[in-house]
Amino acid sequence: YIRVRFRADNPGVWFLHCHLAWHEYNGVAVVFVEAPGVLQQRQSVPEEMVEMCKRQGIPTQGNGAGNQGFDLSGLPPAVYPPS
């Protein structure tokens, strides 16, 4: 286990990873989304990107599963599910 503490005062999407490529390949990485509400107010996704997502059936609203709040139902399975 690891416990990470940081000052959350810089809205954005931050990728934290190990610098060994095979660690990253095997999932030793995490993405922090700091202040998503503020981020949505300050930045917008270019319309070309939204259209590209729609063509591929990728949700363009909601959380990572295209749902609201903490409802992550419908996400695809992990690349390497735990055994």
Side-chain angles (χ1 to χ4, degrees), residues 38-49:
V38 174
L39 187 60
Q40 289 174 347
Q41 292 173 359
R42 293 183 183 176
Q43 296 181 349
S44 61
V45 177
E47 191 59 35
E48 305 84 44
M49 298 298 290

Side-chain angles (χ1 to χ4, degrees), residues 23 27 33 43 48 55 77:
H23 281 166
V33 182
Q43 296 181 349
E48 305 84 44
R55 285 193 302 271

Side-chain angles (χ1 to χ4, degrees), residues 10-73:
N10 192 6
V13 180
W14 305 103
F15 186 61
L16 177 67
H17 62 92
C18 175
H19 283 275
L20 296 175
W22 69 271
H23 281 166
E24 189 176 334
Y25 177 79
N26 286 294
V28 184
V30 66
V31 176
F32 292 102
V33 182
E34 163 56 33
V38 174
L39 187 60
Q40 289 174 347
Q41 292 173 359
R42 293 183 183 176
Q43 296 181 349
S44 61
V45 177
E47 191 59 35
E48 305 84 44
M49 298 298 290
V50 173
E51 291 302 319
M52 182 175 66
C53 289
K54 287 180 181 178
R55 285 193 302 271
Q56 297 179 60
I58 299 170
T60 58
Q61 295 183 352
N63 59 25
N67 303 322
Q68 297 301 314
F70 295 107
D71 176 10
L72 297 176
S73 60

Side-chain angles (χ1 to χ4, degrees), residues 2-6 16 32:
I2 184 170
R3 186 177 294 182
V4 178
R5 183 177 179 181
F6 61 95
L16 177 67
F32 292 102

